[in-house]
Amino acid sequence: MPESNPKFYYPSTDVVERANVQEYEELYKRSIEDREGFWAEQAEQLDWYKRWDKVLDESNKPFYKWFVGGKTNIIQNAIDRHLTGANRNKLAIIWESESGTTQSFSYYALNREVCQFANILKSMGIKKGDIVTIYMPQLPEMVFAMLACAKIGAVHSVVYGGFSYEALASRISAANSRILITADGGSRRGKKINLKEIADEAMKRSPTIEVCITVKHNNLDVNMEAERDFWYHDLKSLPIASPKCKTTILDAEDKLFILYTSGTTGAPKGMVHTHGGYSVYTSTTHKMAFDIKPEDRWWCAADPGWITGHSYIVYAPLINGSTIIMYEGAPNYPYPNRWWQMVEKYGVNILYTSPTAIRGLMRFGDQWAERHDLSTLRLLGSVGEPINPEAWRWFYDVIGNGKCPIIDTWWQTETGGFMVCPLPITPLKPGSAGQPFFGNEIGVVDEEGNQVPVGQEGKLVIKNPWPGMARTVMGDDQRYADLYWSDYKEQGYYTAGDSAKIDEDGYIWVIGRMDEVLKVSGYRLGTSEIESALVSHPSVSEAAAIGLPHELKGHGIYTYVILNEGVTGDKVLQKELQEHVGSELGKIAQPEKVTFVESLPKTRSGKIMRRVLRARALGLDEGDLSTLEE
Ligand code: WTA
């Protein structure tokens, strides 16, 4: 057992002896000195219809291209190549609902499902490059739908099933999507949620949708509009849904998906990821950081609706031929042992989750985990926000029994995969994501781009291109260049929007976002989205949203509202406004508190000074107020 507060936690010899990567420093050095060589070697482990001509094309910075001239399709690696080898009859997906219903699919069965879905999409006229919007609970069909799009070269745009109709409608419109795939519902904490009803509301606002395919899951009575709405099971029984479908041969740089994420200003950005580089990057990071073995049962307890789910529930594990565990439901329903039951039942080897989930389960005490045999676990993982050392130690001691390294992965929707993370062999420090992944030079810099001294806070930058990087913001190349690549144009650095420190051992400690992005329970939300939702209420004239530390959620949302003339602020209206944001954006965005104010602190140019609000709320020094308007 480790001492109570050691500098390093060392991985156990069992873990080290079998690790895929036995050494960090040498390989890291090589991967930096010959980045293209390193990535070419990784790419060679995948199947290509045609090998690339050039690993990295830097001719039009910051619009980098990877594996240029290569012909591929992520499905060739995620499914097709498994069908001829040892993985054919291996389980690809084990799915369980909150109430304990299960379904499982071998790679062979997965292929049939994906082919059928792909043929249905084709029969609806979906072609290469079309954007298909997917709005679903965590069901196997959600994964089939994503993979079916990829197979025929269509681009999926998944909208998280917890988002409201407004958020769904704006994403459908931005993508000009003709087709929506949804379900008659999901369930959470024993309650059925009618997703189709929300989809109907969204479709009223999105004239581009011509066809909506609904998967039956909850047996709910839903409205089906003739000629627009189709049940998935009906389509599946038609001859069009043949279980054979050829995978479309694509260019490495063809689009795989867009995924919206929140930023400082304006509407969420649709980040674009592509087939070739993303396949290489996600599968390499997954295999090396989580030490994936053929016999492993891998559980990434995120939702496929977010980047973590895209990269590490769906694509990377399938490329690596893992058996994926999917669970649709709350971690603590009906009891706080629900997850530990799953780990025991399926013999999960690797569990990857978020600090919020860990904190949420930790508060129920150790006894819920202690009732279960968790000895199959070999590695644990964390993502989404900095993990507080207390939660880290609980996860390490109680869930991992002091023998499973915690792979704390720092990355973003924009990066496609892990950028900073330990390996199973590296000594760990609770709360630090460790060192850069291979091929990446990570800096913590000042305004001029100079590395700040050890222990000082600075901006986290990535100094090089990497294969998993987002290629652009959909439809807005300029925005992509401005948002991520303009702070240190001369040096060519990518700015992540996070602040961090580096310690004397070269370990990176991510502090948090520097912009107006909140991480609420690990979900990424922009203050501007919350403010627009508030202002869309007829009683509200102006609004400001800030994040304050929250014991479980990381950030809690606090809002300040100026009401329209003649409207009185009372408890009823406060509640109404909280719920209004919930229904505009989704439950996750519902503020903890709405405070009515007469005015908001603003700069002379009219920008809300959220840091002043934050400081006041926390009783801290308000800092430099010289730009504050009187
Ligand atoms: C934060 C999630 C500290 C960070 C994959 C980043 C983290 C944002 C970590 C991206 C971590 C993610 N430690 N902070 N291990 N992982 N973050 O796009 O602020 O939803 O910029 O991607 O989450 O959030 P996103």
Side-chain angles (χ1 to χ4, degrees):
M1 286 296 276
E3 359 159 353
S4 65
N5 211 351
K7 180 169 177 191
F8 286 117
Y9 281 66
Y10 289 94
S12 67
T13 41
D14 305 1
V15 171
V16 172
E17 271 168 14
R18 54 187 313 215
N20 289 336
V21 182
Q22 282 293 333
E23 193 280 329
Y24 173 74
E25 255 119 56
E26 271 299 304
L27 186 56
Y28 177 71
K29 204 164 146 251
R30 240 187 66 212
S31 75
I32 298 302
E33 285 165 0
D34 179 17
R35 182 168 292 119
E36 291 178 41
F38 174 82
W39 286 116
E41 248 170 58
Q42 307 314 315
E44 275 159 9
Q45 311 206 5
L46 300 184
D47 273 7
W48 295 79
Y49 299 120
K50 173 183 167 284
R51 195 186 159 90
W52 55 91
D53 305 318
K54 200 169 174 10
V55 176
L56 173 63
D57 174 357
E58 303 187 88
S59 59
N60 183 24
K61 293 176 186 176
F63 302 97
Y64 296 92
K65 290 184 182 152
W66 286 87
F67 307 109
V68 183
K71 295 280 182 194
T72 186
N73 184 315
I74 202 164
I75 298 302
Q76 167 62 20
N77 286 297
I79 302 178
D80 299 356
R81 66 168 176 165
H82 299 310
L83 300 177
T84 49
N87 287 340
R88 177 185 150 106
N89 296 320
K90 177 176 174 178
L91 288 184
I93 299 177
I94 300 174
W95 174 89
E96 185 164 318
S97 73
E98 201 173 60
S99 63
T101 329
T102 66
Q103 286 187 59
S104 55
F105 302 86
S106 65
Y107 275 87
Y108 183 75
L110 175 66
N111 179 56
R112 277 182 70 89
E113 296 285 345
V114 172
C115 286
Q116 286 197 285
F117 218 134
N119 282 322
I120 290 171
L121 292 178
K122 274 202 211 163
S123 74
M124 300 284 182
I126 294 295
K127 302 179 310 295
K128 183 182 160 192
D130 288 351
I131 301 175
V132 174
T133 303
I134 301 175
Y135 179 66
M136 285 180 88
Q138 181 157 184
L139 302 179
E141 285 83 357
M142 178 175 185
V143 178
F144 305 157
M146 291 165 74
L147 297 170
C149 291
K151 189 173 175 78
I152 60 173
V155 178
H156 57 73
S157 164
V158 174
V159 179
Y160 170 58
F163 273 141
S164 70
Y165 59 83
E166 288 286 356
L168 174 59
S170 67
R171 285 158 175 78
I172 292 173
S173 303
N176 248 321
S177 226
R178 276 183 51 230
I179 188 158
L180 174 66
I181 303 171
T182 187
D184 67 344
S187 42
R188 191 104 180 151
R189 314 196 148 276
K191 269 213 304 267
K192 290 185 175 181
I193 301 149
N194 191 337
L195 236 58
K196 176 64 165 58
E197 241 170 34
I198 306 173
D200 286 341
E201 285 302 313
M203 284 189 283
K204 275 190 206 156
R205 292 160 178 79
S206 336
T208 55
I209 293 290
E210 292 164 18
V211 171
C212 174
I213 299 176
T214 304
V215 172
K216 202 177 198 69
H217 176 55
N218 267 350
N219 275 318
L220 294 179
D221 210 6
V222 301
N223 162 53
M224 297 293 277
E225 207 166 276
E227 285 175 37
R228 185 195 70 186
D229 286 340
F230 300 88
W231 284 111
Y232 180 59
H233 60 268
D234 286 343
L235 297 170
K236 220 176 148 186
S237 66
L238 300 175
I240 48 162
S242 144
K244 285 210 165 69
C245 175
K246 249 183 100 83
T247 303
T248 303
I249 298 177
L250 300 171
D251 289 332
E253 283 290 313
D254 276 335
K255 291 191 186 75
L256 170 61
F257 65 83
I258 54 175
L259 187 60
Y260 286 88
T261 192
S262 302
T264 303
T265 50
K269 317 162 276 221
M271 302 312 305
V272 175
H273 285 281
T274 57
H275 277 256
Y278 181 82
S279 300
V280 175
Y281 198 76
T282 55
S283 60
T284 305
T285 46
H286 182 238
K287 190 166 60 197
M288 290 186 169
F290 280 104
D291 205 29
I292 300 302
K293 308 288 181 205
E295 65 277 17
D296 278 339
R297 289 197 159 177
W298 160 259
W299 185 14
C300 166
D303 188 283
W306 300 91
I307 191 67
T308 307
H310 278 55
S311 298
Y312 298 106
I313 294 179
V314 183
Y315 289 111
L318 290 177
I319 294 173
N320 288 330
S322 316
T323 296
I324 299 159
I325 309 290
M326 282 176 74
Y327 167 65
E328 189 222 351
N332 56 359
Y333 189 88
Y335 298 106
N337 65 336
R338 190 65 187 84
W339 271 18
W340 317 129
Q341 237 175 13
M342 291 276 297
V343 170
E344 179 170 31
K345 177 172 175 188
Y346 294 112
V348 173
N349 304 104
I350 310 164
L351 173 63
Y352 181 39
T353 183
S354 65
T356 290
I358 298 164
R359 287 191 295 265
L361 291 166
M362 180 171 92
R363 77 192 151 126
F364 295 106
D366 304 358
Q367 70 275 18
W368 294 98
E370 282 164 357
R371 281 166 47 185
H372 297 275
D373 175 5
L374 306 180
S375 62
T376 52
L377 289 172
R378 188 172 85 249
L379 289 161
L380 299 170
S382 173
V383 61
E385 51 180 309
I387 180 165
N388 48 312
E390 198 195 353
W392 194 100
R393 288 197 193 93
W394 183 80
F395 202 32
Y396 186 83
D397 291 331
V398 179
I399 305 307
N401 195 20
K403 64 180 181 56
C404 306
I406 296 180
I407 309 299
D408 179 356
T409 58
W410 176 84
W411 60 296
Q412 311 178 294
T413 306
E414 293 86 342
T415 70
F418 313 150
M419 300 307 289
V420 179
C421 62
L423 297 176
I425 53 159
T426 36
L428 304 167
K429 296 187 188 189
S432 164
Q435 291 164 286
F437 189 77
F438 300 114
N440 295 327
E441 287 170 275
I442 307 283
V444 175
V445 300
D446 62 19
E447 294 302 326
E448 277 72 53
N450 303 313
Q451 187 74 15
V452 300
V454 162
Q456 260 182 42
E457 192 171 338
K459 284 188 178 179
L460 190 61
V461 295
I462 304 165
K463 299 184 174 176
N464 52 271
W466 63 101
M469 64 202 300
R471 298 303 192 258
T472 190
V473 170
M474 196 194 48
D476 204 342
D477 286 349
Q478 194 57 49
R479 196 166 170 211
Y480 174 73
D482 291 348
L483 280 173
Y484 302 104
W485 300 92
S486 63
D487 287 3
Y488 304 104
K489 214 164 170 182
E490 225 163 88
Q491 297 95 328
Y493 295 169
Y494 166 95
T495 344
D498 281 5
S499 68
K501 293 180 185 174
I502 291 193
D503 70 14
E504 66 283 3
D505 299 305
Y507 278 48
I508 295 165
W509 298 75
V510 176
I511 297 164
R513 300 289 308 183
M514 302 179 76
D515 53 12
E516 296 306 333
V517 170
L518 308 181
K519 293 294 276 191
V520 181
S521 302
Y523 299 125
R524 182 164 159 183
L525 295 166
T527 49
S528 61
E529 293 164 74
I530 300 159
E531 290 160 5
S532 328
L534 282 167
V535 176
S536 75
H537 188 281
S539 304
V540 175
S541 152
E542 274 190 77
I546 57 168
L548 295 178
H550 187 285
E551 207 185 328
L552 289 178
K553 299 180 185 173
H555 273 148
I557 303 168
Y558 288 77
T559 58
Y560 300 86
V561 164
I562 304 178
L563 294 171
N564 283 327
E565 278 294 311
V567 182
T568 358
D570 55 13
K571 280 227 159 70
V572 181
L573 184 57
Q574 263 168 344
K575 184 133 194 284
E576 187 178 319
L577 291 177
Q578 281 169 306
E579 283 167 3
H580 177 73
V581 177
S583 70
E584 286 281 302
L585 285 176
K587 263 241 155 354
I588 47 167
Q590 193 152 316
E592 303 291 323
K593 200 170 165 195
V594 174
T595 308
F596 299 119
V597 292
E598 295 291 319
S599 66
L600 290 167
K602 282 190 192 161
T603 61
R604 281 184 209 104
S605 58
K607 277 203 204 118
I608 297 169
M609 293 179 84
R610 296 189 188 82
R611 79 174 164 79
V612 174
L613 288 171
R614 244 184 327 258
R616 277 185 202 164
L618 295 170
L620 299 173
D621 177 16
E622 292 174 13
D624 178 10
L625 295 180
S626 58
T627 56
L628 188 70
E629 181 198 47
E630 267 324 306

